[in-house]
Amino acid sequence: MDLNILWFILITVLFVGFFFLEGFDFGVGILLPFLGKNDTERRVIINTIGPHWDGNEVWLITAGGAMFAAFPNWYATLFSGFFLALFLVLVAVIIRGVAFEFRSSDNSIRWRATWDGMIFTGSFLSSLLWGVAVANLIKGVPINAKMQYVGTFFDLLSPYAIVGGLTTLFVFTFHGALFLSLKTVGHMAERSSKAARSIGFIAIPVVLLMAGLTYLQTDLFNNLGAGITLIASGVALILANVLIRLRKAGWAFVVNGLTILLFTVSMFWGLFPRVMVSSLNMKWSLTIYNASSSPYTLKIMTIIALTMVPIVLLYQGWTYWVFRKRVTEKDLHY
Amino acid sequence: MTELILSRLQFAVITSYHFLFVPLTLGLGVLVAMMETWYVRTGNETYKKMTKFWGKLFLINFAMGVVTGLVQEFQFGMNWSEYSRFVGDIFGAPLAVEALVAFFLESTFLGVWVFGWDRLPKKVHALSIWLVAIASNLSALWILIANSFMQEPVGYILRNGRAEMTDFLALITNPHIFYQFPHVVLSGFVTAAFFVMGISAYHLSKKNHLDVFRRSFHMAVVFGLISAFGVAGVGHLQGMHLVEAQPMKMAAAEAHWETENPAGLLLFASIDEQGQKNNSELKIPGLLSFLSYNRFTGEVKGIHELQTAAVEQYGPGNYVPPVTSLFWSFRIMLTAGMVLVLIPLVGLYFYKSNCLEQKKWFLRLALWMIPIPYIANTSGWYMAEVGRQPWIVYGLQTVEAGVSTSVSALSMLIAFAGFALLYAVLAVAEVYLLLKFIKRGPEEASTEETLKREIKGASLWT
């Protein structure tokens, strides 16, 4: 296997990790105002992701760094082309990040309400925008022969892209609700589980619509594997809904994690070997070859990544084990 | 043209703002880790109080460093996409390694540290803050490896219209990094030392928690003194290196127009940038030669000769960076540097002679000195970055050629204004919180409890 393919897979893995992990903490952030009826409850909610959200976010940073190192033209075209969308993503991530730390540092009601609002807004925007971005990658955007994006911000908001955004929004929120029902006790767990049941139910038609539009508007299904994976992702979502109704929150969380994994894999697989599709001329698409770094850089980066990724997985996994207990009102830090 | 100006403005503002938080993180992490280690080894509760108090301030500052750092990573692609295409093969690598090696470690173990107080054995808990401190300094190392390539390109070849990496080892052993890394990291240590020293002095003058703040002051003063001497020493070596590697940067920072041997150092100059000369100046003979070569003779090339040489090498153009602002930022950094050595020296003397708390004036002064390292850090970076103008990568690509071509000026304006506004709001919140926790002081374990009761029943949207 050549290293260009390996790096495409590695970046897919990083996005799977990011969507899986940050997916539930985005979801938890979105649910914060709806499931937390008073300050203590909201603190319980935030503390379920307290030890993890920062580490989860690094998956995005690493994905960004990996794109830069392995496919500099992809990084350059994507980030300059999706300029305003990424500006919004960054604002969302910033307000959310400081909000976790800042909210607990003052006890005024208005102060806390402000930062809670930031956590919600940041999580909501991020969840929505990542779906929009992924949908645009797969559908294609106006890219000229010089690898430059020639559209505007509003070209990114096609109906397909918006359905893509709603897909990640609902699937992540569902993921967050399942996580909360695993990590809380008593009536909080009950309420989260109830929320999971209704959000999961709405997510089904959204994902089906996304799959349908993908069939009609993109060439993803030309790749049989990607098509099957996308359908499997929808099946996993339905299964997760069944499981939470059977009160198996743990399994529902795992299976919905599979929904996210399969959805992400399907999108990247459908893209392969392109990394950005040009809607103007197929030949102008960026691929893992014309967008990549030199073989030497890819080799060096491969050695580093294959050494470091397992270590990172090991210690991040360890933190989930250390903080495996459900969060109650007794152990609040934020 | 407007895109270029907006992108440069944004980069300057965003990066300087980010770098207000980084140095404190670098140093305070180490200090907090030392405090906790002392606590684990002695079981002395004072050290635990210290760890918690300074740790809280560390966290508030850290959060801002992280989120502003995020913009850093993405703005290369957003505003400087042509730069990213040109050097991505090289520049992307250390950024990716930073995330993989340092940033994961840092943020994961910070979570463990914050939430692990009652859940982990003491030693493992102390180890986690050490990992955070080491990782943030490692992070600085990889970022500076990337920056060093921009200052002094090594281990590359020009191929396929871009710079491609040919030697990773050369990249990470760039001579520039051996000066820049210790200079930056030790400056971070000094920043943290002044922060801890100043706040401790404030509480000592109010006679609050004398046990906590005497120890904190002592620790900071020793840490700061060693680091400040280190910064000055490395700074001198770095200057000598730059005379060889980036002669134009040094000549501009000295407003040194004509080649001289021996060359004198200007203490003061009224610079006429248009006329490319100094109108009046105060010069110490031979000192610039000494700073460049460690001896009082030796030719130091002037701006005029360097400009002529650059035109010969790269073609017509203006290769002189803004002289006046570089000259003064260099002098601000040097003057601040002297203060940074002096204050801990006096502080240590008073502390050792047991009269620190009687010296009210010094305690007040120490508090007011907290901004000095920040001024030194910012002017140091100003010199490093503006000094390489007009290059974005020294000798390889100009700043003008690096800017994104597919982004409209309006988009850039929206983003720049948006970030600036957001950062301004966050700055107010940050200062408010820091002041609040600084004034409150350590302990107050019971506040958490009362806080929980007070807030119950509050509605989110009110």
Side-chain angles (χ1 to χ4, degrees), chain A residues 1-17:
Chain A
M1 181 167 57
D2 68 35
L3 293 178
N4 299 56
I5 298 175
L6 179 70
W7 272 92
F8 185 81
I9 294 171
L10 261 173
I11 287 171
T12 310
V13 169
L14 288 168
F15 272 101
V16 168

Side-chain angles (χ1 to χ4, degrees), chain B residues 385-428:
Chain B
E385 296 291 278
V386 177
R388 70 175 150 72
Q389 297 302 319
W391 301 108
I392 195 166
V393 186
Y394 205 77
L396 293 184
Q397 189 184 39
T398 61
V399 173
E400 210 175 336
V403 76
S404 296
T405 54
S406 62
V407 185
S408 70
L410 180 67
S411 295
M412 283 182 179
L413 185 66
I414 292 171
F416 177 43
F419 282 131
L421 186 71
L422 178 62
Y423 280 14
V425 173
L426 291 181
V428 174

Side-chain angles (χ1 to χ4, degrees), chain A residues 7 14 32-34 36-40 42-43 47 50-52 54-55 57-66 68-69 72-77 79-81 83-84 86-87 90-91 93-95 97-98 101-102 104-117 120 146-151 286 291-297 300-301 304-305 308-309 312 315-316 318-319 322-325 329-334, chain B residues 10 56 59-60 62-64 66-68 70-79 81-85 87-120 124 142 159 162 164-169 404-407 411-412 414-416 418-419 422-423 426 429-430 432-433 436-437 440 448 451-452 454-462:
Chain A
W7 272 92
L14 288 168
L32 176 69
F34 304 106
K37 302 293 181 200
N38 57 43
D39 188 66
T40 313
R42 283 195 289 275
R43 294 186 70 196
N47 275 272
H52 307 299
D54 199 3
E57 201 166 278
V58 182
W59 286 81
L60 169 64
I61 296 165
T62 309
F68 200 171
N73 281 318
W74 184 12
Y75 171 84
T77 306
F79 286 69
S80 61
F83 187 91
L84 285 178
L86 279 155
F87 161 67
L90 286 173
V91 169
V93 175
I94 290 172
I95 57 177
V98 288
E101 193 51 56
F102 282 7
S104 60
S105 301
D106 197 294
N107 53 5
S108 116
I109 291 171
R110 248 176 59 195
W111 175 271
R112 293 202 160 191
T114 307
W115 295 111
D116 286 341
F120 169 78
K146 289 179 182 156
M147 296 189 178
Q148 299 288 3
Y149 177 81
V150 288
L286 276 68
S292 84
S293 281
S294 64
Y296 178 78
T297 296
I300 295 287
M301 291 308 300
I304 295 167
M308 289 313 299
V309 171
V312 171
Y315 65 65
Q316 279 215 337
W318 175 75
T319 65
V322 169
F323 301 106
R324 65 194 176 281
K325 283 199 193 127
E329 292 179 22
K330 282 187 215 87
D331 34 26
L332 295 178
H333 291 266
Y334 277 158
Chain B
Q10 180 182 318
K56 178 73 193 171
L59 287 174
I60 295 171
F62 185 90
M64 289 290 280
V66 169
V67 295
T68 53
L70 265 164
V71 183
Q72 289 297 109
E73 189 193 14
F74 293 107
Q75 73 173 339
F76 292 115
M78 290 167 74
N79 291 68
S81 62
E82 297 319 294
Y83 165 76
S84 302
R85 289 181 210 280
V87 294
D89 199 71
I90 300 161
F91 191 82
L95 290 197
V97 177
E98 188 225 0
L100 268 173
V101 174
F103 212 32
F104 262 127
L105 197 65
E106 191 178 12
S107 41
T108 307
F109 281 92
L110 189 71
V112 170
W113 188 72
V114 173
F115 287 81
W117 272 102
D118 313 314
R119 229 168 288 201
L120 291 167
V124 179
W142 286 100
R159 192 163 48 197
R162 65 180 183 184
E164 292 192 349
M165 198 196 298
T166 54
D167 189 351
F168 184 66
L169 202 63
S404 296
T405 54
S406 62
V407 185
S411 295
M412 283 182 179
I414 292 171
F416 177 43
F419 282 131
L422 178 62
Y423 280 14
L426 291 181
E430 161 92 7
Y432 165 75
L433 280 184
K436 184 184 137 178
F437 280 93
R440 182 192 283 175
E448 267 299 290
L451 199 143
K452 255 184 233 172
E454 272 171 21
I455 205 102
K456 229 173 192 172
S459 158
L460 177 59
W461 303 109
T462 49

Side-chain angles (χ1 to χ4, degrees), chain B residues 125-144:
Chain B
H125 192 261
L127 179 69
S128 63
I129 189 72
W130 272 113
L131 287 173
V132 172
I134 292 167
S136 48
N137 283 283
L138 257 181
S139 191
L141 174 66
W142 286 100
I143 288 305
L144 294 176

